[in-house]
């Protein structure tokens, strides 16, 4: 049986229906921007010592989007500080849009202590919106209640 030649013709309403279907599909599929924030995993080793004014430093690694970025940490604390400690901290950094956002000056207000061993933690934030939450074991003898300024620089 022969087909009607008009049945093969594409009508304007069919084109409009196809375009509408494509528009609906495109609006429901999430797109990930290259500027989207992604969390990074942070590991750091810190050594601190002080009496009234504390100073410390260390190094660490930021694992971000499948790559490892080594960094250095240095800092100064003002307030009640006495003793010395070594900490191995791990945690997450959030608010990173690009790796360069991670480097910078961080501030923290807090306190803690260790006598031979214990658990330490710190919450830091920088001016680019990056927040770091770290915790882990601490060894040494230290008591601190202070305001800290920490500088992170990528190697």
């Amino acid at each position: 049986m022969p087909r009607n030649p008009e049945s093969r013709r594409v009508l304007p309403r069919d084109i409009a229906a196809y375009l509408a279907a494509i528009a609906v599909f495109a609006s429901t599929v999430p797109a990930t921007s290259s500027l989207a924030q992604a969390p990074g995993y942070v590991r750091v080793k810190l050594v601190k010592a002080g009496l009234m004014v504390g100073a410390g430093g260390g190094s660490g690694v930021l694992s971000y989007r499948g790559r490892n970025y080594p960094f250095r940490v240095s800092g100064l604390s003002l307030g009640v500080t006495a003793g010395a400690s070594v900490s191995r901290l791990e945690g997450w950094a959030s608010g990173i849009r690009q790796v360069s956002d991670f480097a910078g000056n961080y501030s923290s207000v807090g306190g803690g202590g260790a006598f031979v061993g214990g658990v330490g933690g710190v919450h830091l934030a920088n001016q680019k919106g990056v927040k770091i939450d770290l915790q882990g074991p601490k060894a040494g003898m230290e008591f601190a209640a202070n305001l800290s300024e920490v500088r992170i620089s990528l190697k």
Side-chain angles (χ1 to χ4, degrees):
M1 185 149 126
R3 294 190 110 186
N4 185 352
E6 290 203 18
S7 66
R8 293 185 191 158
R9 203 163 80 183
V10 178
L11 300 175
R13 69 179 169 156
D14 294 333
I15 293 173
Y18 289 131
L19 291 175
I22 290 170
V24 167
F25 179 77
S27 67
T28 59
V29 175
T32 303
S33 167
S34 62
L35 295 177
Q37 295 178 359
Y41 189 73
V42 179
R43 295 179 310 275
V44 64
K45 179 182 177 183
L46 294 171
V47 178
K48 291 188 344 182
L51 184 61
M52 296 306 286
V53 174
S59 61
V61 174
L62 167 68
S63 298
Y64 179 70
R65 295 189 177 186
R67 295 189 59 198
N68 291 328
Y69 299 91
F71 62 89
R72 289 192 177 102
V73 180
S74 60
L76 183 66
S77 60
L78 301 172
V80 180
T81 302
S85 68
V86 175
S87 302
R88 293 184 187 275
L89 305 173
E90 296 183 8
W92 292 95
S94 60
I96 302 172
R97 285 187 162 81
Q98 54 191 6
V99 176
S100 61
D101 290 347
F102 184 71
N105 294 320
Y106 289 80
S107 60
S108 171
V109 176
F115 181 72
V116 180
V119 176
V122 65
H123 305 285
L124 302 167
N126 76 5
Q127 65 274 22
K128 297 175 189 171
V130 176
K131 295 179 181 171
I132 304 174
D133 293 314
L134 301 170
Q135 52 185 290
K138 181 186 273 192
M141 188 182 315
E142 176 193 27
F143 171 78
N146 52 37
L147 170 66
S148 299
E149 182 77 17
V150 175
R151 176 159 183 78
I152 293 178
S153 56
L154 294 168
K155 290 183 181 178

